[in-house]
Amino acid sequence: MTLRSVILGTGSYLPKKRVTNHDLSQHLDTSHEWIMERTGISARHIAAPEEYTSTMAIEAAQKALTAAQLTAQDIDMLILATSTPDHVFPSTASRIQESLGISKGFAFDQAAACSGFIFALATADAYLKQEMAKTALIIGSETMSRLLDWEDRGTAVLFGDGAGAVVLQAQTQTDRGILGSLLRTNGAGYDQLYVNGGPSTTQTIGTIQMNGREVFRNAVNRLEEAVEGILKIHNISQEEIDWLVPHQANKRIIDATAKKLGLPEEKVIHTGADQANTSAASIPLALDNAVKDGRIKKGDLVLCEAFGAGYAWGSTLIRM
Ligand code: ACO
């Protein structure tokens, strides 16, 4: 009996505060035109002081549970993909587990920067297939705004806050579910995109440092590898893909990947214009957006991809 990890529900949460490019240009030497042309971003949502990675994750998770018609009692595995935990330890996943009222199984955080959700989905899929759990909550939640140097126009304009979640269940006798994932890292990119703080080095939190050009060049090349690679492994042609749900770092990077796949614009889910780069939260946010507005339907073949700090990158193929 083949076990498949099937997505039963999705949910997401965005903070109320919306900051436009125009708002940023009031105190930064930048413009709406520059940001739009280089990134496709026109606004981002920013967490209120009393909102944390955990509180946003809980909102998204509750919506995903409702969509799946399940309750917290059904969940026996919780993985939180994040680079912005509430505290260094315990895991923010533990706090979410307790707040949701999940009383069995296990919960942990997983960090792979912007590729965190792809890595968490792949981990969950492997654990479900090993029957270590039956029903999982996989969440991406980030308060990127707290890692930004708001004086640095090179990074401050790129990121936003938010959370997205999916409920995954191990099922047999179904064609639906995760078909497979491709994960890659190359530590040679460590210094090109990183946060210059940490408990074992500076004992401060630090802010995001980035060599934008170098990250851009690597992202385009690595994502080409990730999408072509996973299609080859699963013997799937480009024409069979119904939707591309990419990590929303930059519209130009997404356009390059879609072009490589020969996918028309209307098959690509874009949420970056209003949400910016929410790191590990961007794929579940985009997925939920397209499920809720009726574009992505049961049975559709979805390709997700991400590239980010590490470098870490990857892709996942899902029959919804
Ligand atoms: N407004 C106006 N001018 C700006 C801004 C801004 N917000 N930011 C930089 N500039 C200026 C620079 O100072 C520079 O000026 P100079 O020529 O006088 O020195 C000029 O614009 C060009 O700067 P570049 O960095 O070379 O601009 P580029 O065309 O590469 O665009 C960008 C920058 C948008 C950051 C691009 O490199 C990019 O998208 N890179 C990928 C970034 C990314 O996706 N990061 C997230 C990865 S995922 C993760 O894990 C977090």
Side-chain angles (χ1 to χ4, degrees), residues 28-31 34-35 38-39 112-115 144 152-155 157-159 193 208 210-217 219 247 249-250 252-253 277 279 307-310 312:
L28 259 186
D29 182 13
T30 188
S31 66
W34 192 96
I35 302 170
R38 306 287 174 122
T39 69
C114 292
S115 299
M144 298 304 287
D152 174 16
R153 65 178 183 173
T155 52
V157 303
L158 301 177
F159 296 91
L193 174 55
I208 295 175
M210 184 177 73
N211 179 349
R213 284 219 168 156
E214 203 44 33
V215 173
F216 189 97
R217 196 177 58 76
H247 166 52
N250 182 309
R252 287 188 297 150
I253 297 174
N277 180 350
S279 193
F307 175 90

Side-chain angles (χ1 to χ4, degrees), residues 74-116:
D74 298 305
I75 300 298
D76 54 4
M77 173 165 69
L78 190 160
I79 306 179
L80 172 70
T82 193
S83 297
T84 49
D86 287 8
H87 297 102
V88 171
F89 70 81
S91 75
T92 303
S94 297
R95 175 170 266 184
I96 299 166
Q97 184 191 33
E98 166 66 12
S99 301
L100 287 172
I102 299 170
S103 52
K104 60 185 179 191
F106 57 96
F108 62 95
D109 292 358
Q110 199 168 11
C114 292
S115 299

Side-chain angles (χ1 to χ4, degrees), residues 172-310:
T172 53
Q173 291 164 346
T174 179
D175 292 336
R176 295 176 59 205
I178 296 176
L179 307 188
S181 300
L182 181 151
L183 306 181
R184 297 282 183 271
T185 57
N186 181 350
Y190 194 96
D191 296 334
Q192 303 299 326
L193 174 55
Y194 70 107
V195 174
N196 62 356
S200 82
T201 50
T202 60
Q203 294 103 56
T204 60
I205 295 169
T207 54
I208 295 175
Q209 312 293 313
M210 184 177 73
N211 179 349
R213 284 219 168 156
E214 203 44 33
V215 173
F216 189 97
R217 196 177 58 76
N218 273 278
V220 171
N221 294 336
R222 300 307 194 184
L223 286 171
E224 186 179 322
E225 258 173 57
V227 295
E228 289 184 343
I230 196 157
L231 293 182
K232 196 164 172 212
I233 292 166
H234 295 280
N235 199 20
I236 284 171
S237 70
Q238 299 176 344
E239 297 76 46
E240 290 174 75
I241 299 165
D242 294 303
W243 299 102
L244 177 67
V245 181
H247 166 52
Q248 310 282 327
N250 182 309
K251 188 168 185 302
R252 287 188 297 150
I253 297 174
I254 296 174
D255 288 347
T257 307
K259 191 171 169 203
K260 196 72 213 165
L261 286 168
L263 276 183
E265 180 81 14
E266 48 297 356
K267 287 194 166 195
V268 183
I269 308 301
H270 288 282
T271 49
D274 188 62
Q275 298 176 10
N277 180 350
T278 56
S279 193
S282 90
I283 290 177
L285 269 160
L287 189 65
D288 185 50
N289 189 294
V291 167
K292 293 286 154 61
D293 70 18
R295 277 178 292 172
I296 295 184
K297 298 183 185 62
K298 226 180 233 183
D300 284 355
L301 187 61
V302 171
L303 174 58
C304 302
E305 48 81 342
F307 175 90

